[in-house]
Amino acid sequence: MDPTGGSPEAGAVRPGGPEAGTDEVDRIVAAWRRVAPELDVEPLEVLSRVARLAHHLDRLRRSAFAAHELETWEFDVLAALRRAGEPHELSPGQLVVQTLVTSGTMTNRVDRLARRGLVQRRPAPDDGRSVLVRLTDAGAAVVDAALADLVRAEHRMLAVLPAAERRALAALLRRVAAPFEAPPGT
């Protein structure tokens, strides 16, 4: 419900909306403060916005990837291989760590990408029992094109902030995320 007592559709532009400094999270927080004044709901002011932004970002990314006939998980695997640098290959275990999935899930994903000709498996030179997953030329072309579209869309998404504010926001989010991103074994 908005401050005027109406009930506009979520996301609709209205007086007192984002351009005036309020948003749906402000209304949600105000409602919680009204019905549960004993609770300190301050974290909602940040984390509800992060969650809502993550939803919008997910839709933006899915759209950018779909234009290249990729699912988000396919982009994640191809991007990990591309970032590895020449010869654009990693072990399945390295892919598991970078994409935060199980080894069984990664096996399935590599199988599916290999059937599409976007990756190939080859025996590891130092261990004949192990394999490496290598990005093919077709895989590199599709991930590069998808990344270019994604970055353009993400620039548009962040265009409401000047460069200095984007850098400050990145630094703050890094601090909040750091405890969850610690390397394994630390």
Side-chain angles (χ1 to χ4, degrees):
M1 185 175 269
D2 74 10
T4 64
S7 180
E9 290 183 35
V13 176
R14 59 200 165 277
E19 66 284 347
T22 63
D23 64 6
E24 188 64 21
V25 173
D26 289 325
R27 287 180 281 286
I28 291 167
V29 169
W32 280 120
R33 286 183 173 142
R34 191 174 54 256
V35 301
E38 72 282 4
L39 292 177
D40 178 5
V41 295
E42 181 187 16
L44 295 177
E45 294 188 59
V46 173
L47 300 177
S48 291
R49 286 184 177 96
V50 169
R52 293 170 77 84
L53 188 57
H55 174 75
H56 295 298
L57 179 59
D58 183 58
R59 286 188 2 218
L60 179 141
R61 286 181 168 181
R62 287 178 189 273
S63 176
F65 301 150
H68 300 278
E69 300 179 3
L70 288 176
E71 296 289 333
T72 300
W73 68 264
E74 292 172 310
F75 176 84
D76 289 346
V77 174
L78 298 175
L81 292 167
R82 184 72 169 102
R83 288 190 310 266
E86 288 292 338
H88 304 293
E89 64 184 14
L90 295 169
S91 71
Q94 291 169 310
L95 286 169
V96 163
V97 169
Q98 289 196 29
T99 60
L100 304 175
V101 299
T102 66
S103 60
T105 297
M106 184 54 63
T107 298
N108 181 311
R109 291 179 175 186
V110 170
D111 287 346
R112 291 172 66 183
L113 289 167
R115 281 195 297 273
R116 289 188 57 195
L118 302 176
V119 302
Q120 61 187 19
R121 287 185 175 93
R122 71 177 195 89
D126 56 341
D127 180 359
R129 297 169 298 163
S130 298
V131 299
L132 294 173
V133 179
R134 179 178 283 189
L135 189 63
T136 64
D137 290 344
V142 74
V143 75
D144 286 354
L147 178 63
D149 284 352
L150 174 63
V151 169
R152 279 192 292 277
E154 289 182 351
H155 273 287
R156 286 191 302 273
M157 184 180 211
L158 293 173
V160 299
L161 297 175
E165 289 182 3
R166 289 191 305 266
R167 287 189 300 274
L169 179 59
L172 292 169
L173 290 171
R174 184 181 302 111
R175 282 178 42 200
V176 172
F180 304 100
E181 299 289 330
T186 61

